[in-house]
Amino acid sequence: MQSRYLTSSLRVSALGLGCMGMSEFYGPRDDDAAMAVLDKALTLGIYFFDTADMYGCGHNEALLGKFIRSRKPALTLATKFGIVRQPGEYRRGLCNTPDYARQSCEASHLNENVRAQDVQLSDAEQQAIRAALSSMTIRGERYTPEGMKGING
């Protein structure tokens, strides 16, 4: 399997596996089948998996956590947050405040099964976020590029 650098230090398989459908949206979930797909992906050299805390309202991260705990594979996970849902509801809201980002990382079902949580952004992503933050006010607090100090080191 070929690989690609997403940043100067983050190398991933050229193909990734999106795991959303393993928890909802495309029919009933089947954890045994999902685990078999995850195993097959690793066999094929795919070690870049994508999830989010809203897929199955945490189920997808829990499923990947179970997979990691039982197999202990070397892989890279991309997880996202910011879309807020309640279990049993499809209605969604958005929350991208720094407090919610911190809360999502702390509440992640992946925490006990992964070695580290790093925020890795490309230079272009950092520039885009800085530009967006330079004119953003959330809950009366003005965000500035100086607020980005914790990103990528």
Side-chain angles (χ1 to χ4, degrees):
M1 171 66 59
Q2 294 180 351
S3 62
R4 304 277 188 274
Y5 280 95
L6 296 183
T7 68
S8 60
S9 62
L10 181 60
R11 187 175 178 173
V12 299
S13 55
L15 293 176
L17 177 63
C19 299
M20 179 180 75
M22 296 176 182
S23 294
E24 68 178 336
F25 297 115
Y26 300 117
R29 65 181 181 224
D30 181 339
D31 289 356
D32 292 334
M35 295 292 257
V37 169
L38 295 167
D39 277 327
K40 183 65 173 180
L42 286 178
T43 300
L44 295 172
I46 299 169
Y47 59 91
F48 184 37
F49 294 175
D50 175 78
T51 184
D53 64 353
M54 61 92 53
Y55 300 164
C57 293
H59 174 267
N60 203 249
E61 285 188 343
L63 176 74
L64 286 169
K66 179 180 176 184
F67 178 76
I68 293 166
R69 188 171 49 256
S70 66
R71 277 43 166 210
K72 303 198 184 329
L75 56 83
T76 298
L77 292 172
T79 189
K80 302 165 295 297
F81 55 86
I83 299 176
V84 182
R85 295 178 55 211
Q86 297 300 316
E89 293 184 17
Y90 186 72
R91 186 177 46 125
R92 296 158 300 189
L94 296 176
C95 187
N96 60 0
T97 64
D99 286 342
Y100 185 74
R102 188 175 304 104
Q103 174 190 344
S104 294
C105 290
E106 290 170 356
S108 174
H109 294 279
L110 295 168
N111 281 341
E112 64 189 55
N113 303 300
V114 296
R115 202 169 14 128
Q117 287 181 333
D118 294 322
V119 176
Q120 292 285 328
L121 300 173
S122 69
D123 290 338
E125 289 168 322
Q126 290 180 59
Q127 289 172 4
I129 290 170
R130 283 189 176 97
L133 289 177
S134 69
S135 62
M136 187 185 308
T137 302
I138 299 174
R139 288 188 279 171
E141 186 175 344
R142 182 108 175 127
Y143 288 87
T144 64
E146 291 75 38
M148 295 289 291
K149 291 178 183 170
I151 305 292
N152 283 0

